[in-house]
Amino acid sequence: MARDVSDSTPIGSKDELISWIAAGEKPASSFRIGTEHEKFPFYRSDLAPVPYEGRTGAGGIRALLEGMQQRLGWEPILDAGHIIGLAGPDGGGAISLEPGGQFELSGAPLTTLHETQSELAAHIADVNAVAAPHGIAFAALGASPLWTRAETPVMPKGRYKIMANYMPKVGTLGLDMMFRTCTVQVNLDFGSEADMVQKLRVSLALQPLATALFASSPFLERKLNGFQSMRSEIWRHTDNARAGMLAFAFDEGMSYEGYVDWALDVPMYFVKRGDTYHDVTGASFRDLLAGKLEQLPGECATMSDWANHLSTLFPEVRLKRFLEMRGADAGPAGMLTALPAFWVGLLYDQTSLDAAWALVKGWSNAERQALRDAVPKEGLAATVAGRRLGEIAAEVLELSRAGLSRRAKRDAAGRDESIFLAPLQEILARGQTLAQSLEERYRGAWGGKVEPALTELAL
């Protein structure tokens, strides 16, 4: 999230929180695609991570942001005088920083995947042009393959200080999540409460499948880590009060209110007043709504507090005024477009959405959770309801392909959006995820070296 929301409208009741989410409803003709991805910057000369202020002879993260500001003309986002992001015009995308310097593009809400591909290509060209004079390159992988946590830089962003202090209290790998992981995700719309519920359930059930298909993080600290998606495994040990598979979403009568009730009781991180982040870790939004926040006596909730709180919840699928698919490792450029293609084909075509729901609706909460727990290590070899995930993936990918074909959004050459599924089709044809391919190269051509994971996969 590039910028915390600023809306001082006071909140008087839970109904207003529900209405805030419901305001995201759109007619299908107005559905959009918002793709976000993160990547690790590194110095080409020695593969070192890039600190905020840079090092002798080369700029750092600040220089990258200032260079992008000059190149794009976007508005700088500041935190205590530090540039920490850029906002595009008219809500048309943003650039932000994750805690360890991961460079993130939050794409504009676009109509087609062809536009998504163009946006990605332009962004990669821009950041590489700005980074080249500093000897900086970028690699998109699910987990940092080389650097220890101590070697990883820390970005000057107020909310991250609060999170970093809190993470060790609620999990064993929360700091690794913050500083050493990268993801690609897509934000998609819903048309009604019922539409939201169906999309939420389907995407939650199938999020482990996406994790397996996009697994790209078999390395940590210059060696194999034993997982195909170390990023996904790290999330299992981060903060289970705000992460996970949302079993309640499958309860009868699930609604906007059901999500709001859950969010109200998830511990908060901060309340922002002016430019100050007040640490309120451990308190609930329910306390703030009632004006009984111990850390800020008498302070009442505002709409910006609610929006900012929702941005600090990390389930596998997150509901705000849209749905965020959060289960995938970042990867090479083709995979960064394949992720939105996969979900658009399933969720933006009613025939495919209904078929996907028919496929997963019989899975129990226990089966979904067992799949989520197994996938980081087993990938497509994991099983659910007696079936191998790779077999299910072939069915789901065909549903996505058919959905994209029916959308019939074509480029200048007459090709529909299903062309962007090609990397996933190759994975299934090969029977090998990117993580498994990287491990194979490590054991073979790379001679037990992890460094090529950065250099050969640079964007």
Side-chain angles (χ1 to χ4, degrees):
M1 186 174 181
R3 170 184 279 161
D4 292 315
V5 174
S6 295
D7 182 348
S8 59
T9 304
I11 299 171
S13 70
K14 185 176 79 170
D15 287 345
E16 294 174 45
L17 307 180
I18 296 168
S19 296
W20 188 91
I21 293 176
E25 293 178 0
K26 295 180 176 67
S29 59
S30 297
F31 284 178
R32 294 293 182 265
I33 306 162
T35 305
E36 305 179 23
H37 80 271
E38 301 157 1
K39 50 201 171 290
F40 295 108
F42 63 94
Y43 290 111
R44 286 189 179 275
S45 60
D46 58 2
L47 308 186
V50 178
Y52 184 77
E53 295 292 357
R55 64 185 189 181
T56 302
I61 298 296
R62 179 199 286 274
L64 293 178
L65 287 172
E66 291 174 343
M68 289 294 284
Q69 179 191 358
Q70 184 175 10
R71 186 177 181 90
L72 300 176
W74 288 10
E75 177 190 355
I77 301 170
L78 304 177
D79 189 327
H82 298 100
I83 184 170
I84 50 116
L86 300 170
D90 303 319
I95 293 169
S96 60
L97 301 177
E98 291 300 300
Q102 304 96 313
F103 215 75
E104 178 176 4
L105 172 67
S106 298
L110 302 173
T111 304
T112 74
L113 291 161
H114 304 296
E115 294 171 342
T116 299
Q117 170 64 26
S118 296
E119 176 187 61
L120 174 65
H123 173 74
I124 291 174
D126 286 335
V127 295
N128 281 332
V130 169
H134 303 286
I136 293 172
F138 300 87
L141 293 165
S144 166
L146 303 182
W147 315 311
T148 66
R149 197 191 301 161
E151 292 170 331
T152 303
V154 178
M155 297 300 105
K157 199 167 177 179
R159 65 188 283 168
Y160 292 156
K161 294 178 183 177
I162 294 171
M163 291 173 64
N165 288 334
Y166 184 65
M167 284 295 180
K169 302 174 184 177
V170 291
T172 58
L173 297 178
L175 295 177
D176 294 283
M177 178 280 292
M178 292 179 64
F179 293 98
R180 299 205 285 177
T181 65
C182 282
T183 186
V184 54
Q185 64 186 58
V186 63
N187 306 322
L188 298 175
D189 292 313
F190 48 84
S192 66
E193 188 169 53
D195 186 44
M196 180 280 292
V197 170
Q198 186 181 25
K199 287 174 175 173
L200 178 63
R201 287 171 171 170
V202 167
S203 54
L204 279 169
L206 292 177
Q207 210 63 217
L209 190 155
T211 299
L213 283 173
F214 288 84
S216 70
S217 45
F219 306 121
L220 203 68
E221 298 183 12
R222 291 181 164 82
K223 58 183 180 291
L224 290 170
N225 57 41
F227 294 89
Q228 294 187 46
S229 176
M230 186 64 195
R231 182 205 61 82
S232 183
E233 179 65 12
I234 285 170
W235 270 111
R236 293 183 61 238
H237 306 278
T238 292
D239 182 352
N240 290 330
R242 68 184 68 245
M245 292 290 285
L246 301 184
F248 69 84
F250 296 85
D251 291 347
E252 187 175 353
M254 173 58 186
S255 62
Y256 296 137
E257 184 175 11
Y259 193 87
V260 168
D261 282 336
W262 172 70
L264 281 170
D265 291 322
V266 174
M268 298 177 70
Y269 284 151
F270 63 86
V271 170
K272 189 178 183 186
R273 291 294 180 264
D275 293 329
T276 301
Y277 289 88
H278 297 274
D279 186 341
V280 298
T281 47
S284 74
F285 201 91
R286 229 178 263 280
D287 297 331
L288 179 60
L289 189 61
K292 297 178 180 178
L293 201 61
E294 183 178 335
Q295 298 93 329
L296 292 172
E299 200 63 44
C300 294
T302 68
M303 282 301 178
S304 63
D305 294 330
W306 180 236
N308 292 334
H309 178 55
L310 290 182
S311 77
T312 69
L313 311 183
F314 307 126
E316 292 293 289
V317 181
R318 179 162 63 187
L319 174 63
K320 294 194 285 190
R321 283 175 162 168
F322 42 82
L323 289 164
E324 301 179 7
M325 309 296 117
R326 298 177 48 81
D329 287 7
M335 296 295 277
L336 298 180
T337 311
L339 187 279
F342 176 78
W343 289 114
V344 167
L346 289 176
L347 302 187
Y348 275 5
D349 176 79
Q350 193 62 49
T351 300
S352 289
L353 180 59
D354 289 342
W357 176 235
L359 179 66
V360 304
K361 68 181 180 181
W363 299 353
S364 67
N365 280 329
E367 287 171 326
R368 287 189 296 270
Q369 187 60 52
L371 179 63
R372 166 69 184 90
D373 293 341
V375 153
K377 181 180 287 287
E378 299 177 20
L380 293 171
T383 59
V384 59
R387 297 184 66 193
R388 187 176 177 276
L389 193 57
E391 176 189 343
I392 296 170
E395 287 185 33
V396 173
L397 198 58
E398 174 54 26
L399 292 179
S400 179
R401 186 208 62 76
L404 294 173
S405 179
R406 281 188 290 269
R407 269 171 56 84
K409 306 291 186 182
R410 302 186 182 278
D411 64 9
R415 300 174 300 176
D416 67 41
E417 297 165 309
S418 65
I419 59 173
F420 299 114
L421 295 176
L424 305 183
Q425 293 165 333
E426 291 172 12
I427 285 171
L428 291 185
R430 219 172 39 232
Q432 186 181 60
T433 64
L434 176 58
Q436 291 171 313
S437 174
L438 294 173
E439 180 176 347
E440 184 178 83
R441 282 183 255 179
Y442 168 84
R443 297 186 185 280
W446 294 353
K449 299 289 187 182
V450 174
E451 287 80 359
L454 283 183
T455 56
E456 292 188 17
L457 274 71
L459 293 172

